[in-house]
Amino acid sequence: MSTVTRSTDDVRSEGPDGPIRVAQVEIRPQEGLAVVAGRVVSLSVREFELLSALATRSGHVVAREELFSTVWGGPLRRGDRSIDVYVHKLRQKLEAASPGWRFIHTHIGFGYRFAPEPAA
Amino acid sequence: MSTVTRSTDDVRSEGPDGPIRVAQVEIRPQEGLAVVAGRVVSLSVREFELLSALATRSGHVVAREELFSTVWGGPLRRGDRSIDVYVHKLRQKLEAASPGWRFIHTHIGFGYRFAPEPAA
DNA sequence: CATCGCGTTCACAGGTGGTTCACGGTCACG
DNA sequence: CGTGACCGTGAACCACCTGTGAACGCGATG
């Protein structure tokens, strides 16, 4: 496993409803879409909310519990794989738009961390 | 050279759940990760807890008994090598993130001491 | 209806982490 | 020297967590 990665603190989150910008990723809340590396990435509601939840805390590990309660509302039931599935969908779309980059990092036992980094 | 052991007064531990900071090491309790020399070091649960236990008493020798009861809970059974194994894992990760530095020092018969020092 | 997009759930595979072994090295002591 | 206590370190073993493709259900749409 990759043990060490560079931290990305180049976060420039804007106001509540303003666009969130992290590196080559721009999230537009009002339009429900994201622009990655200049390409428009269309997202479903769930995908969008999950990405927002992660990106607003860019560089920090967000617990699965917290992600679930934020995006789905309510406590995370044991065995619920929704988060995993949507993280997977997001990764596909993001990496398709910006090949050679990794955006969502797994921290086993804790949660996920959003941070655009070049693939090893 | 002489065994220069700087008294670690450069410790700036924050509040209970705030980040623990010692020299180039920052530990974020809520996220289960550490940032060393600006690099994100991903840690497993055990690794993280052990590092926390050591870092919160930075500069002091922490007894094996105490480490075990803190991290694993319960008394240290004679012959249990878990601590050794995890100290080894931590050293690998920390020193990979900050080459030329030593962080965890062995005090044979007593325990371990956390203190970032340049490698001899 | 037939189709489609989306969210959820399922099933399987692969990866990761925690524990324990095994072997070797160092050091103190008789 | 032997011996034993203690530690460093690589590896084996197994449970658990996560990745991932696919099936299912359902409301919206034509």
Side-chain angles (χ1 to χ4, degrees):
Chain A
M1 67 171 287
S2 76
T3 303
V4 178
T5 39
R6 310 190 66 88
S7 71
T8 52
D9 290 77
D10 48 329
V11 185
R12 286 172 291 164
S13 305
E14 312 266 318
D17 276 359
I20 299 168
R21 238 167 291 169
V22 182
Q24 73 266 56
V25 180
E26 180 180 346
I27 301 173
R28 301 180 185 166
Q30 307 183 338
E31 306 175 50
L33 63 77
V35 180
V36 180
R39 300 193 176 98
V40 173
V41 177
S42 78
L43 302 169
S44 75
V45 177
R46 284 272 191 266
E47 289 167 353
F48 180 81
E49 288 178 351
L50 179 56
L51 178 57
S52 298
L54 284 167
T56 55
R57 320 196 62 170
S58 176
H60 294 263
V61 176
V62 186
R64 294 172 69 92
E65 303 285 347
E66 184 178 339
L67 282 176
F68 194 85
S69 69
T70 300
V71 176
W72 280 263
L76 174 57
R77 295 166 307 174
R78 165 185 161 77
D80 193 311
R81 306 295 309 284
S82 300
I83 292 182
D84 303 75
V85 174
Y86 273 86
V87 165
H88 180 232
K89 290 179 179 179
L90 275 180
R91 287 210 257 234
Q92 279 188 153
K93 292 191 175 182
L94 294 177
E95 290 168 20
S98 185
W101 286 75
R102 295 293 169 74
F103 298 87
I104 303 175
H105 308 271
T106 305
H107 288 252
I108 296 185
F110 292 97
Y112 294 94
R113 175 175 54 95
F114 182 84
E117 294 173 5
Chain B
M1 255 330 143
S2 58
T3 321
V4 179
T5 311
R6 309 190 57 192
S7 65
T8 48
D9 290 276
D10 49 328
V11 184
R12 287 171 292 164
S13 305
E14 314 266 317
D17 275 0
I20 300 167
R21 240 167 288 169
V22 182
Q24 73 267 54
V25 180
E26 179 182 347
I27 301 173
R28 302 179 186 167
Q30 305 180 336
E31 303 179 47
L33 68 72
V35 180
V36 179
R39 300 190 181 112
V40 173
V41 178
S42 84
L43 301 169
S44 74
V45 178
R46 284 271 190 266
E47 289 167 352
F48 181 80
E49 289 176 351
L50 179 57
L51 178 57
S52 298
L54 284 167
T56 54
R57 321 197 62 170
S58 176
H60 297 263
V61 176
V62 186
R64 294 172 68 91
E65 301 286 346
E66 184 178 339
L67 282 176
F68 193 86
S69 69
T70 300
V71 176
W72 279 264
L76 173 57
R77 295 166 307 175
R78 165 184 163 77
D80 193 312
R81 307 296 310 284
S82 299
I83 292 182
D84 304 75
V85 173
Y86 274 87
V87 165
H88 179 234
K89 290 180 179 180
L90 275 180
R91 281 195 234 212
Q92 280 188 149
K93 292 191 175 183
L94 295 178
E95 290 168 20
S98 186
W101 287 74
R102 296 294 170 75
F103 297 87
I104 303 175
H105 309 271
T106 305
H107 289 251
I108 296 185
F110 294 95
Y112 296 94
R113 174 176 54 93
F114 182 84
E117 295 172 5

